[in-house]
Amino acid sequence: MIPAKFEYVRPGSVDEAIRALADGGDDAKVIAGGQSLLPLLRLRLAYPELLVDVGGLDELRGVTDAGDALVIGARTTHYQLVHDPLVAEHCGLLAEATETVADPAVRHRGTLGGALAHGDPAGDLPAVVLALDATLIARGPGGEREIPAADFFVDYLTTSLQPEEILTAIRIPKLGPGWGYRYEKFHRTAQSWATVGVAALTRRDNGSVAEARIGLTNMGTVPVRARAAEDAAAGAAASREALRAAADRADEGTNPPADLHGAADYRRHLARVLTGRALAAAAGL
Amino acid sequence: MAEITVTVDGVNYEDHVEPRMLLVHYLREIVGKTGTPIGCDTSNCGACTVLMDGQSVKSCAVLAVQADGTQITTIEGMANGALHPLQRAFHEEHALQCGYCTPGMIMAASDLLRENPHPTDTEIREGLEGNLCRCTGYENIVRAVRRAAQAGVSE
């Protein structure tokens, strides 16, 4: 199908893009790689009057070392993240999960910032940045502001970005020594969305798990942390049995959807099983 | 209307297009590259895969205006007098039945082999995970890509 008509501008800078968004009112939309937005436009599930294309802005692209964190430009593509040495060294969970997003052609075009700003709870990367305690950096007419990942995802396909704001970068704390990670994803076919995904991080301290962080994909209208399982895993013995017991609480407080891919109680089951696997793998078991 | 300059299969084109025109429609209807088919309309099937500046993209998930200034290679740009080694391997291994997915399969495979000239069967399957075939069960497609790799397609 062919998208509904829209105007299109390709600004030369982020500031120009913000002005274009402000002038475009509520019906303006940012496009970067377009891998989430273009399918919506084609199906006419969205019909913005103006597209502001930031896909050519080099200031939004690349990974930089900021001491205790990495700062990733919002339009850095999935392909670039998967191949970036800094991400591999300090933020391996992001690379591991990004490699499972869609397929190679989509990863060539799709961007980290686009995947987050789209706010799809079935997308892999929202739960990952939540588990990584990332901070999202947005710029608007009033300047720049920082949004913790926990405050960024508001509802289904809805984020706390204002209409005239652009997500410019994502700051992710580097993982220190002792941290391990795993993204476990269950999906029916090679390139489909996760029925459920689990992003787990653990910090080992000799024979026990000192700290755990768990982000859940597609277990509600927004990505969520499995807080009860995190608390249960903290201080637990680094054994499969202990971590499986902690993982049994992974679905507490979640409100998973029911659709053709799975009923809600099936998703709860998947969340518990996948969390057990992800915690064990993250803890090196 | 927006003015774009695109190189398609080595030929330079300058055109005025509506911003909402998809790259696949531009290639088929304006440039005449009907070798690139439209499969699914939902960006699942990969039949419309082309190379954009050397990387595989689904041309139904790119606007023509986003292709401004890029080099596009379609299936029609692969043969150079004789069939491209991937085309020959698909032919010899009977890697198609209806053939609808074949242009996208070959473009995705060429990108895979450029990056990984000697992939394992698992890497071939993962490299083609964005391309659906409803006829072959994929076995002969994997075999064809392996054969092309052995023939040194990336060189």
Side-chain angles (χ1 to χ4, degrees):
Chain A
M1 274 173 48
I2 297 169
K5 278 192 180 189
F6 52 76
E7 297 292 317
Y8 171 89
V9 293
R10 196 186 300 150
S13 68
V14 173
D15 289 337
E16 261 185 56
I18 291 165
R19 277 197 295 278
L21 279 178
D23 294 344
D26 286 351
D27 288 325
K29 193 89 178 132
V30 175
I31 186 168
Q35 300 302 287
S36 298
L37 183 59
L38 279 173
L40 290 184
L41 295 184
R42 271 201 329 257
L43 296 169
R44 301 210 176 186
L45 295 172
Y47 23 88
E49 285 177 9
L50 172 69
L51 282 194
V52 178
D53 187 352
V54 298
L57 296 181
D58 282 337
E59 59 184 304
L60 294 179
R61 178 175 154 148
V63 180
T64 48
D65 191 328
D68 57 357
L70 295 183
V71 176
I72 301 174
R75 68 154 288 238
T76 307
T77 64
H78 301 322
Y79 177 86
Q80 289 166 326
L81 286 179
V82 169
H83 291 88
D84 188 272
L86 284 172
V87 172
E89 185 180 350
H90 300 295
C91 197
L93 175 64
L94 182 64
E96 184 176 288
T98 301
E99 207 163 5
T100 76
V101 171
D103 57 62
V106 170
R107 294 196 292 271
H108 286 146
R109 299 280 303 158
T111 66
L112 175 60
L116 300 178
H118 185 53
D120 188 340
D124 301 292
L125 303 179
V128 169
V129 298
L130 195 64
L132 287 166
D133 280 337
T135 301
L136 289 83
I137 301 164
R139 206 190 302 169
E144 202 162 86
R145 70 182 176 115
E146 301 201 343
I147 310 162
D151 300 332
F152 185 75
F153 303 102
V154 175
D155 202 347
Y156 184 70
L157 302 187
T158 307
T159 70
S160 59
L161 281 177
Q162 296 302 304
E164 68 282 6
E165 276 183 327
I166 291 178
L167 179 61
T168 57
I170 297 93
R171 191 171 67 235
I172 303 182
K174 288 181 183 174
L175 292 174
W179 282 97
Y181 55 83
R182 175 61 64 93
Y183 187 63
E184 283 283 335
K185 174 173 176 174
F186 185 88
H187 51 165
R188 287 171 60 242
T189 58
Q191 51 166 315
S192 63
W193 302 106
T195 307
V196 172
V198 177
L201 295 151
T202 64
R203 184 165 60 80
R204 274 284 293 266
D205 186 12
N206 294 321
S208 64
V209 168
E211 204 179 334
R213 294 197 237 131
I214 303 163
L216 302 177
T217 297
N218 215 2
M219 285 296 288
T221 55
V222 292
V224 288
R225 289 278 285 265
R227 295 282 183 193
E230 290 180 358
D231 291 345
S239 72
R240 287 177 181 279
E241 294 69 33
L243 293 178
R244 203 176 299 136
D248 276 342
R249 305 188 60 186
D251 61 318
E252 278 186 31
T254 63
N255 187 19
D259 57 28
L260 285 174
H261 299 284
D265 60 347
Y266 176 58
R267 282 198 162 88
R268 289 179 178 278
H269 166 79
L270 279 177
R272 294 190 295 265
V273 171
L274 297 177
T275 297
R277 289 181 194 164
L279 282 175
L285 299 170
Chain B
M1 301 288 268
E3 192 177 343
I4 60 170
T5 304
V6 190
T7 304
V8 183
D9 296 336
V11 178
N12 206 44
Y13 296 87
E14 286 180 30
D15 284 298
H16 286 84
V17 297
E18 266 195 276
R20 63 173 171 164
M21 177 174 264
L22 303 174
L23 177 59
V24 68
H25 291 135
Y26 173 72
L27 292 173
R28 289 176 56 86
E29 292 164 20
I30 309 289
V31 183
K33 297 285 183 180
T34 50
T36 300
I38 297 171
C40 68
D41 250 350
T42 55
S43 298
N44 278 295
C45 80
C48 68
T49 303
V50 299
L51 303 183
M52 186 166 162
D53 288 337
Q55 289 191 323
S56 62
V57 300
K58 295 181 173 182
S59 61
C60 71
V62 180
L63 295 169
V65 286
Q66 291 178 299
D68 184 25
T70 66
Q71 305 234 14
I72 304 292
T73 307
T74 77
I75 188 67
E76 296 187 31
M78 293 297 275
N80 183 12
L83 287 181
H84 184 275
L86 266 165
Q87 292 173 308
R88 205 166 56 238
F90 269 62
H91 172 69
E92 287 166 354
E93 293 291 349
H94 194 58
L96 58 138
Q97 289 177 29
C98 85
Y100 207 85
C101 72
T102 310
M105 285 287 176
I106 288 179
M107 300 319 288
S110 77
D111 187 34
L112 166 69
L113 294 182
R114 178 184 55 80
E115 225 171 75
N116 181 1
H118 300 291
T120 63
D121 280 8
T122 302
E123 287 167 339
I124 292 171
R125 288 175 184 277
E126 285 177 352
L128 298 179
E129 70 180 328
N131 295 74
L132 302 181
C133 170
R134 303 289 78 168
C135 304
T136 64
Y138 302 100
E139 292 297 327
N140 290 359
I141 292 173
V142 173
R143 213 168 283 148
V145 176
R146 198 196 307 144
R147 181 174 184 142
Q150 282 160 356
V153 64
S154 61
E155 285 141 29

